[in-house]
Amino acid sequence: MKPFLPALKLSLRYRWSIIGALVCSAGVALLWCASLTTIYPVLQVVLENKTAVSWSDGEMARCGERIAGLEARIATGDSAPANQASTDAAGQRYQAGLARKQLQAEQRALAWHAWLHPFLVRHAPTTPFSTLAWAIGFLLVISLLKGVLLVVSAVLVARVANRTVMDMRRIYYRKALELDQRRIENIGTANLMTHLSHNMLMVSGGVQMFYGKMLREPLKMLACLAGAAWLCWPLLIVSLAVVPAGAWVVYSLSRRMKRSTQREMDGMGTVFQTLIETFGSIRTVRIFNQEVRERRRFKANAASLYRIGQRISFYDSLIRPATEVLGIISIAGSILAGAWLVLHQQTSLWGITLCPRPLEPMSLLLFYSFLAGASDPARKMTEVVNILVRGGAACENLERTFAVEPRVRRPEHPEPVPQHRKAVTFERVSFAYRPRQTVLNAVSLEIPFGQTVAIVGENGCGKSTMMNLLVRFYDPFAGRILLDGIDLRSFSPRQLRRQFAWVTQESELFSATLRENIAYGNRHAGEREVLAAARLARVTDFLGVLPDGFQTKVGDGGKLLSAGQRQRVALARAILANPAVLILDEATSQIDGRNEALLHDSLRQFFRGRTTFIISHRRSSLELADRIVVMAEGRIVSDQLTRDGENECREFQALFSRSA
């Protein structure tokens, strides 16, 4: 239950719904117990042809007879000489003591029947059939009320469960967005999807079960046990002797289910990963005719998940028969003990007093009815174990995944981010994604405000890593990065990133309209600003071929657009953000030469008054740069200002060949 506490604590926000569900569950429990009591009058009428009044008269007469007999036994025991040491005298005194206790019980019973008798005379039915009809009607009314309370309870519990899971999804989605880049990459998209979908469903089932059956069934069981205890509580204790064994069985199986549930969640993540990879790279799968291989991979993952599910079902199925067998043992023991007391009209067994007055057959039958009424909720509670264990494991997995302090931290007292007007400075910056695999090694670079810098070099030399550090996706292991003379770690990452815009080679678009994708860079922009950004990025050149213009849906990841069109949309988004620092990482690599030249003419105007980083292997992109920085093996090997276009390209070729 402990792993499930975070979900339960969160659910307390809806305490009034919980209180309402608890009240309904208590009502169901009382009505469940009350419905069992109708067995007594029904059997009295059917078997003995009595009315409520005749039954009360008979009980009072029986109590009177027993009182007279008990008083005689007491008088006989008291008459034994005090100094007599014989076994008979001691036995008589012992029996007299028992008789006194029984006499008190019979006198209480007589007083109760005497109090009840006038009420029955005034209001109870006068014939056996009408008594039976009243008992059946009472049972129907109770069943109707119980049904209404069950419906209300189910609605309230569903509200608590659904709203709790909705809140948890929002909380953990926010935490996922706040995770540092390294943590997100280590977890993987598939596992994040598993946590926020499959695991949340298990939490929802757990919350619903906890406030549903987990509250209602124990209350029903307690109500029945209270009725049985009222009839004969020592006999009830005998019946509950096997409860510790049942608790041990449930505990052992629940531990095994928890381990299997953890494997199931991992397996679900693997299945999601297979789906993402297959459908995200469907063209690659088809061009290399790997459909059969992917089917086999998915089949293997699904089969593994199936085996884990079967193991969980096996453990779950063991709980019910094990507890039922223990329940039968319990009831069998109580039947034997109770039957002996009734048949011999005794109040004790093996010298242990089990009831204050001899049990009547009807009372014993009602006692067994209460035990049977308690066994049904106990059986249903075994069904709760699996769902609660799975919900607890899901909560534990969510906490372990998301409750991690991000490495890129917001300072306790962040400095206000200045509007960039001076310089971006790298001071002996070193960084590694993995231990002993350095990507940047003591890199120092200063870029004055308004300068356009091209960073070139082989793949893996650290170009994109510098940009990752600049926007604080990561923090350097050594050295520091300054914005206008202030260490980036002094700023809130979110406030800092408002000064940046980044366009990558793989343009990331959302499954929305063209306009919504452009406006993602500035949600407050009007139609005029969106259109201006689209013109500057040359998006308007292909706008006419789209069926709905700016309102055209671009599809999943923008797949309904060409690669070059997606890059132009991404550029328009960055332009609309109006950043102080613009990062173009192979941002025009998918655009044809003619459109790239037109786009460069537009970008030259946009670069004015902002610092721009261009990462590219295309010579045409270097025409936009005021400065070229060449990197190799995590170091800067050359840093020169450009002159004119022709010399600039020749110099780039020479520098790049030296770095290679």
Side-chain angles (χ1 to χ4, degrees):
M1 186 61 68
K2 185 178 179 181
F4 203 54
L5 287 179
L8 296 181
K9 288 180 180 177
L10 194 62
S11 69
L12 294 178
R13 296 179 177 182
Y14 311 105
R15 58 179 61 88
W16 289 112
S17 294
I18 295 173
I19 291 171
L22 182 59
V23 169
C24 290
S25 296
V28 169
L30 292 175
L31 293 173
W32 171 260
C33 183
S35 66
L36 295 174
T37 61
T38 58
I39 293 174
Y40 192 92
V42 168
L43 291 177
Q44 286 285 351
V45 170
V46 172
L47 298 181
E48 300 185 14
N49 195 27
K50 290 182 178 180
T51 64
V53 175
S54 61
W55 165 79
S56 179
D57 290 337
E59 288 296 315
M60 285 193 294
R62 190 178 293 112
C63 288
E65 292 174 0
R66 287 177 178 172
I67 288 171
L70 290 168
E71 287 174 343
R73 285 171 56 189
I74 293 170
T76 302
D78 290 341
S79 64
N83 57 355
Q84 186 177 355
S86 65
T87 305
D88 292 340
Q92 289 176 2
R93 287 193 295 271
Y94 174 74
Q95 291 297 327
L98 289 179
R100 285 190 179 90
K101 293 181 180 178
Q102 292 181 24
L103 178 61
Q104 293 174 357
E106 292 294 343
Q107 289 171 343
R108 286 195 298 269
L110 180 61
W112 184 81
H113 283 293
W115 172 83
L116 182 63
H117 189 268
F119 176 82
L120 295 178
V121 170
R122 288 193 301 269
H123 302 290
T126 57
T127 64
F129 183 79
S130 59
T131 301
L132 179 62
W134 272 92
I136 298 300
F138 177 71
L139 181 62
L140 291 175
V141 171
I142 284 178
S143 300
L144 179 61
L145 290 176
K146 187 174 66 175
V148 172
L149 291 177
L150 282 171
V151 170
V152 175
S153 175
V155 171
L156 292 174
V157 168
R159 179 179 185 274
V160 173
N162 292 331
R163 291 190 70 88
T164 298
V165 170
M166 179 183 71
D167 292 342
M168 289 184 70
R169 276 202 175 100
R170 285 170 34 225
I171 290 169
Y172 285 113
Y173 185 71
R174 183 176 69 245
K175 287 186 176 182
L177 293 177
E178 292 173 353
L179 290 174
D180 57 67
Q181 198 71 19
R182 184 193 303 274
R183 180 70 175 162
I184 291 176
E185 292 165 358
N186 288 339
I187 295 172
T189 303
N191 284 325
L192 289 173
M193 290 176 61
T194 302
H195 291 316
L196 295 174
S197 57
H198 179 67
N199 290 10
M200 288 296 180
L201 289 177
M202 289 195 288
V203 173
S204 175
V207 173
Q208 197 154 350
M209 192 61 72
F210 180 83
Y211 288 116
K213 285 185 177 180
M214 193 62 184
L215 284 183
R216 184 172 61 250
E217 301 306 325
L219 289 174
K220 288 167 63 178
M221 186 171 63
L222 288 174
C224 292
L225 293 179
W230 178 72
L231 290 171
C232 186
W233 66 264
L235 188 58
L236 176 63
I237 293 176
V238 172
S239 305
L240 299 179
V242 297
V243 168
W248 180 83
V249 169
V250 171
Y251 173 73
S252 299
L253 291 175
S254 65
R255 290 184 62 187
R256 288 172 172 80
M257 278 195 291
K258 181 178 179 181
R259 290 195 293 267
S260 297
T261 299
Q262 182 60 53
R263 296 191 188 100
E264 181 191 36
M265 289 185 287
D266 294 339
M268 185 61 69
T270 303
V271 168
F272 278 167
Q273 184 66 39
T274 303
L275 294 173
I276 291 171
E277 290 178 353
T278 301
F279 295 120
S281 308
I282 190 66
R283 294 181 181 179
T284 303
V285 171
R286 287 174 173 171
I287 197 64
F288 292 106
N289 294 316
Q290 293 298 315
E291 291 92 342
V292 174
R293 176 181 178 275
E294 294 303 323
R295 283 202 304 270
R296 288 173 179 168
R297 183 161 72 114
F298 183 79
K299 181 180 178 181
N301 294 334
S304 175
L305 196 61
Y306 162 78
R307 288 191 293 271
I308 296 170
Q310 285 296 102
R311 189 178 298 115
I312 293 173
S313 298
F314 173 69
Y315 291 143
D316 187 34
S317 65
L318 283 178
I319 293 178
R320 181 171 176 177
T323 53
E324 282 186 354
V325 169
L326 292 171
I328 290 173
I329 293 173
S330 171
I331 293 176
S334 65
I335 287 175
L336 292 174
W340 193 91
L341 294 174
V342 170
L343 293 174
H344 294 85
Q345 284 295 289
Q346 296 293 317
T347 60
S348 61
L349 184 64
W350 297 314
I352 303 173
T353 301
L354 294 182
C355 52
R357 55 195 296 258
L359 285 172
E360 296 295 330
M362 293 301 174
S363 298
L364 184 62
L365 187 58
L366 182 59
F367 178 86
Y368 293 146
S369 299
F370 281 134
L371 284 186
S375 66
D376 181 67
R379 176 186 59 79
K380 290 180 179 178
M381 284 178 63
T382 61
E383 302 171 1
V384 171
V385 174
N386 179 25
I387 298 176
L388 286 182
V389 167
R390 289 160 68 82
C395 283
E396 197 172 32
N397 214 5
L398 288 165
E399 282 295 305
R400 185 170 56 250
T401 301
F402 294 107
V404 177
E405 189 70 25
R407 297 187 181 185
V408 178
R409 299 179 183 177
R410 181 182 183 274
E412 187 174 351
H413 302 289
E415 294 190 24
V417 182
Q419 182 63 36
H420 174 47
R421 284 290 181 270
K422 297 179 182 177
V424 174
T425 308
F426 292 78
E427 290 186 353
R428 299 190 60 79
V429 173
S430 297
F431 181 77
Y433 292 103
R434 298 180 183 85
R436 296 185 297 278
Q437 293 185 7
T438 303
V439 179
L440 294 178
N441 192 354
V443 171
S444 294
L445 183 67
E446 182 173 349
I447 302 96
F449 171 73
Q451 193 174 74
T452 300
V453 179
I455 304 177
V456 298
E458 290 182 320
N459 293 329
C461 68
K463 306 183 299 294
S464 296
T465 299
M466 288 180 64
M467 301 301 102
N468 281 323
L469 296 175
L470 181 58
V471 297
R472 284 205 75 192
F473 288 161
Y474 307 92
D475 282 335
F477 288 177
R480 58 180 187 159
I481 304 174
L482 309 177
L483 180 71
D484 292 357
I486 304 174
D487 194 326
L488 296 186
R489 283 171 288 207
S490 303
F491 303 134
S492 164
R494 293 187 61 186
Q495 296 294 328
L496 172 69
R497 290 167 192 155
R498 290 178 180 175
Q499 305 234 18
F500 291 85
W502 193 340
V503 184
T504 62
Q505 181 176 5
E506 296 297 330
S507 303
E508 298 168 347
L509 302 186
F510 298 91
S511 182
T513 66
L514 184 67
R515 186 202 179 284
E516 288 171 334
N517 272 281
I518 295 174
Y520 198 84
N522 184 355
R523 289 295 183 184
H524 303 292
E527 293 298 326
R528 182 178 300 177
E529 291 85 352
V530 172
L531 181 59
R535 283 177 179 154
L536 202 57
R538 314 296 297 187
V539 172
T540 51
D541 291 355
F542 63 86
L543 197 61
V545 302
L546 299 179
D548 298 313
F550 275 119
Q551 301 305 318
T552 301
K553 294 281 188 178
V554 301
D556 185 15
K559 294 296 177 64
L560 298 181
L561 302 178
S562 69
Q565 289 172 340
R566 289 198 297 272
Q567 282 196 327
R568 281 187 269 180
V569 174
L571 277 168
R573 181 170 60 198
I575 290 169
L576 189 62
N578 192 28
V581 181
L582 177 64
I583 302 170
L584 303 179
D585 190 350
E586 299 287 357
T588 60
S589 59
Q590 306 291 337
I591 301 175
D592 61 84
R594 174 180 173 278
N595 282 307
E596 185 184 30
L598 295 173
L599 185 59
H600 285 175
D601 291 339
S602 300
L603 289 178
R604 281 192 181 91
Q605 305 172 28
F606 185 70
F607 288 171
R608 295 171 185 166
R610 69 191 80 245
T611 303
T612 306
F613 293 88
I614 299 175
I615 299 174
S616 178
H617 293 100
R618 301 177 71 172
R619 289 184 298 175
S620 56
S621 298
L622 302 182
E623 297 174 0
L624 299 171
D626 304 318
R627 178 180 177 185
I628 298 177
V629 174
V630 182
M631 296 189 67
E633 298 180 354
R635 298 177 181 273
I636 295 176
V637 296
S638 178
D639 179 7
Q640 295 189 18
L641 295 173
T642 61
R643 291 181 291 277
D644 55 70
E646 182 180 352
N647 292 336
E648 161 187 308
C649 295
R650 190 182 301 116
E651 182 180 6
F652 161 69
Q653 287 179 309
L655 291 172
F656 190 83
S657 63
R658 286 203 301 272
S659 70

